[in-house]
Amino acid sequence: MPTHPELALALVRIATGGILVVHGWQKVFAAGLTGVTRQYAAAGLPLPLLVAPVTATLELLGGLLLLLGVGARGLAGVLGGVTVLIGAARWAHGALPAPAVEITVLLTTGCAAVLVGGPGRPGVDGRAEPGRRSRSRP
């Protein structure tokens, strides 16, 4: 059976970006930034008035761009870093229940895969990434 690493990377990128978009959407439109700020403050995150809108924006817009494969490697690094920092801060204050640990690990791993392996194809960056060979078939 042939392998398709470019497709595998694209699936990881699309799933990770999609989950981040949903999380950002919930922060901005469902809970609202005021509610998220309160949650972050209760969880002991530093600077919740700054962290809440920054993470919501990164998750919503960054997740959308990651989903599309635009600036995927750089965004994956930033989003993965944000995921780790938020997870670590929540963990340190005992505010990271088991399901949140699992999604944090999955999102961080998805971001790491895109950072290391690239965006895969299809995706804007997958088509234009320098140094990538075209896989045209005869």
Side-chain angles (χ1 to χ4, degrees):
M1 177 179 210
T3 62
H4 302 282
E6 293 287 331
L7 179 57
L9 284 167
L11 291 171
V12 169
R13 173 183 51 81
I14 290 166
T16 303
I19 292 168
L20 287 166
V21 167
V22 169
H23 281 239
W25 184 271
Q26 290 172 333
K27 283 180 176 70
V28 173
F29 298 108
L33 291 178
T34 303
V36 174
T37 302
R38 269 192 247 119
Q39 289 173 348
Y40 281 11
L45 270 72
L47 304 170
L49 285 171
L50 175 65
V51 173
V54 168
T55 58
T57 302
L58 282 171
E59 287 177 352
L60 183 60
L61 298 180
L64 180 61
L65 292 173
L66 185 65
L67 180 87
L68 296 172
V70 178
R73 279 191 153 159
L75 277 169
V78 170
L79 292 168
V82 167
T83 303
V84 167
L85 292 173
I86 297 296
R90 292 181 71 195
W91 180 275
H93 290 87
L96 194 60
V101 170
E102 294 163 357
I103 195 70
T104 299
V105 169
L106 283 172
L107 288 173
T108 303
T109 303
C111 287
V114 174
L115 178 64
V116 172
R121 292 188 184 153
V124 174
D125 290 351
R127 298 191 190 289
E129 191 170 304
R132 300 290 276 218
R133 286 182 288 162
S134 173
R135 292 189 183 238
S136 55
R137 297 183 183 193

